Amino acid sequence: MVGAAGYSWQNDRAAGRHTDSGSLFVELPEEVRLTDVLTKLALSVLKEQSLKADLERLARLACRLITNCSGASISMLVEGQPSTVAVTDRVAVELDLIQYDNNDGPCIAALAGEAVRIGFIPTDQRFPHFAIGAADRRVLSVLSTPAIDHGKVVGSLNVYSNVEDAFGDDDRDAALIVAAEIAHALIKSSLLGKATQLRDQLQEQHDSATLVSRAQGVLMGLHECSQAQANELIRRAAESNQEGIVTVAERILASVEGDERAGSREQSSEIDT
């Protein structure tokens, strides 16, 4: 049987090796070069009308091109929330879901534009919730790559491995190539337009929530009240002045910043005298 990239599955199975968990790690022949990879990608992607089928093919292709891959997934923001839109196996989607639930992890970082490569997850302290989930599934390495179109992140490719220090520079380069094809597939989809709009709305909501949270903190410090009481003060001020909650929060922060600047000027004057 011939796979999407033109390789023989039987040859892959013969040339590959199995891990203790039973996953097959395919080792590409040394004569396969970057131009060959690009040619195979050009022949393999976007041959079906179904976006889902295209993305699933790319996820499988990534796992075949990248050494030591034991599972791969493709993520994007759907209706403002990160979502897995293609996956090669159960463990990959389980690890994605752990990251979505905690709003943290290599996949989330990649959706924000940061490429993440971790060689030994148990000693990495950046994503503790993800590390626990990975340990439960004997996953030791991860490579998450943003899928970028014209400077805009439209998705991410996430590759997992049961092997320590699984991904080298060649694997990173292969992931970049596949991620570019993922971006091309997504950008042609009407789903992306809706997802992009909702992502922008989500960012705006996040920025507004951050402003309100900062204003609540200011009020809690000034009035020695709880967060709920501070939130009620902001709400009442908004109703009284017929303003939005975000506008009230901005006024509170601006007032505090003004007081801090005035205090700094007074201290400077005292020092000069």
Side-chain angles (χ1 to χ4, degrees), residues 224-235:
E224 297 183 352
C225 61
S226 67
Q227 182 179 3
Q229 291 170 327
N231 186 58
E232 182 65 16
L233 288 173
I234 294 174
R235 187 187 65 79

Side-chain angles (χ1 to χ4, degrees), residues 76-84 100 103 111 198-199 202:
M76 67 178 295
L77 290 175
V78 178
E79 296 185 355
Q81 299 295 325
S83 178
T84 299
Y100 302 158
N103 195 32
L111 286 172
L198 288 167
R199 181 187 62 190
L202 184 66

Side-chain angles (χ1 to χ4, degrees), residues 147-162:
I148 301 174
D149 179 80
H150 291 86
K152 180 178 293 187
V153 179
V154 296
S156 71
L157 169 65
N158 314 294
V159 184
Y160 304 103
S161 177
N162 301 116

Side-chain angles (χ1 to χ4, degrees), residues 16-74:
R17 56 188 176 86
H18 288 270
T19 66
D20 293 338
S21 63
S23 298
L24 177 67
F25 290 153
V26 178
E27 299 176 1
L28 292 177
E30 291 184 358
E31 63 269 17
V32 175
R33 296 292 183 264
L34 180 60
T35 52
D36 298 317
V37 174
L38 289 170
T39 300
K40 290 175 174 61
L41 278 169
L43 293 173
S44 68
V45 301
L46 302 178
K47 289 184 177 179
E48 296 183 19
Q49 294 182 352
S50 168
L51 174 66
K52 180 176 175 62
D54 289 332
L55 294 177
E56 287 178 346
R57 187 194 297 100
L58 284 169
R60 293 193 300 270
L61 181 60
C63 220
R64 299 182 63 215
L65 292 176
I66 297 174
T67 307
N68 293 330
C69 171
S70 58
S73 68
I74 297 173

